[in-house]
Amino acid sequence: MSQTQAARPRILTAPDGTEFRDLNGNGVMEPYENPRLSVAERVADLLSRMTPEEKAGLLFQTMIAINADGSLVEPDPGAPDDDPMRASTAAMVTGKLMNHFNLFGAAAPRRMAEWNNRLQDLAAITRLGIPVTISTDPRNAFVDNPAASVHTEGFSLWPEPPGLAAIGDEELVRRQADIVRREYLAVGIRLALHPMADLATEPRWPRILGTFGSNADVAARMVAASIRGLQGDTLGPESVAAMTKHFPGAGPQLRGEDAHFSYGREQVYPGDNFDYHLIPFGAAFEAGTSQIMPYYAMPVGTEYEEIGFGFNKGVITGLLRGKYGFDGIVCTDWGLVTDTEIFGAPFPARAWGAEHLDRLTRVERILDAGADQLGGEAAPELVLELMRTGRLTCERIDVSAARLLREKFVLGLFDDPYVDPDAAAQVCGSPEFTAEGLDAQSRSITVLKDRPSDAAAPLLPLAADVRLYVRGIALDVAARYAAVVATPEEADVAILRIATPYDARTAGFESFFRAGRLDFTEEELRPILQVADAVPTVVDIFLDRPAVIPEIVERAAAVVANYGSSDTGLLNVLFGHAEAEGRLPFELPRSMESVLAGSEDMPNDTGDSLFPYGHGLRLG
């Protein structure tokens, strides 16, 4: 399958089943592992043969880039080795002995599969040939945020999680996750950095689009279904491991600011509702999630230390491992230790509450807290220094190394980490998967209003003989449904696609996090309302957060919401070719004043909402 098969060590199997490999590339065949041993025995055997350097490499998972042609990224020799996005792939795998990577960027599915095989070839020439575990943020939806999701051409397209919650069908969520599993497996991805079990209790929070809404019980059902779709009933060779995040619930951010940034470092509970945010995680544990990621933020005003959750021993060892009995892998969120640059601008480590500590002490605090792996970091030398100076014991490292090795064995990576590029091209984005994703896009559409103020009859569904004016919709797509005209004055109906407003921040990395206000300015409203006053208008709004839209609802003939839908998915609903089933997964506030008066940790508490949680009309 790979174009570099010669790089793999030779493998011989004795009549009794014992496997021998040329582990050191010197022609000497040594016992590697007995396939008849249990996973625990295989882990113990391998762990006993590992050096401190090999164990330290296990404890780091960082970003890794891919070239469009599927080749490994090997930049100029002068690229800094502490910046994984510019560092040599070979230097991280054969130098730092790392074998967990978060794939950043994308290529065509065939090229991604070829890249996986080349990466596994590279890992195979290390002394023990430990295979690589490749992880990813979500790739099967519309939004592209380098810190949260990776829109990937060639994969099936689905609504974002709030859209799945709007449909409310657990079996659909399990099916969607199962399709994601098959597409991930086809290209070699074995660890999903999702689902998010966080709750949308603070309307301004920029990461609501990754949640299953504001209701903890609904989110719990959806999270569990997603994990079962990815992993199956038990983790095994056909599974994609799930890293559920962000323990103990990242939703109640102070003023809705995100913890990627220093001004969003505090997580608050003015409604004394800490335990509510744990409900979806309880469902995740019951479903068998293999991994957990704590968030960046630091709890304020709780029984826990005011330090970021990744450093927080009371939360990780006390609550997660103690109260819930979780014995799986705990991986920190990305970049808690090392200051770096993103898009050429300084980006400090998210060491909230630990800013005063040096890098060495930050690593020490993270491991002492109970985490197994440091996300977004490539610094095994720090673990080795802690061991050399006696600040970290071999026994402590072995606990985490064993957990990480165990998952590789259970997933079957030691048996065969390679994939078939031809199969990847056929599986990913197959006609069946694409059709199911499109159907879900339509089902998730939520009809908020469908009755012009001066008309007795609903506007929707639209007739095929209408003259149509569109804005925010591709003209060639609209033309498949009706005759498209150039101005509102020529039209019988207008369709406008808009998005939830936000406060513009910097032009760099910060711009991907749409935060702040949820209401439209007069300048933003003017072109929308001018069309609505000229012709019966359908307004479709992308609810990446709960928008404040009373003026639009008053003046538009119909208002619908989407959570990630193509033009086709929307128009199929508006013209009656598909049924909209969505119900709001969070309330829509009537004003920004009501948002400001609410508590960050309480769901749907803005008072007199414009549309309550669960609102959604049926057409026809």
Side-chain angles (χ1 to χ4, degrees), residues 448-449 496 498-501 518-521 524-526 528-529 532-533 537-541 547-560 610-611:
L448 302 175
K449 173 188 176 181
L496 309 181
I498 63 174
T500 299
L518 299 162
D519 57 344
F520 289 83
T521 65
E524 291 167 337
L525 279 173
R526 189 175 300 113
I528 300 169
L529 300 183
D533 290 342
T537 298
V538 181
V539 175
D540 169 61
I541 184 165
V548 175
I549 53 173
E551 303 91 347
I552 293 172
V553 169
E554 180 183 0
R555 307 269 279 276
V559 181
V560 302
L610 184 65
F611 292 110

Side-chain angles (χ1 to χ4, degrees), residues 37 39 113 122 133 155 192 232 263 265 325 359 439 469 503 505 565 586 589:
L37 297 176
V39 167
L122 183 63
T133 301
F155 282 57
Y263 51 75
R265 66 203 291 264
R359 293 173 71 221
D439 180 64
Y469 171 78
D503 285 324
R505 301 282 173 84
S565 175
F586 36 67

Side-chain angles (χ1 to χ4, degrees), residues 141-152 160 512:
F142 289 81
V143 173
D144 204 2
N145 179 338
S149 58
V150 189
H151 175 72
T152 303
E160 306 283 351
F512 289 96

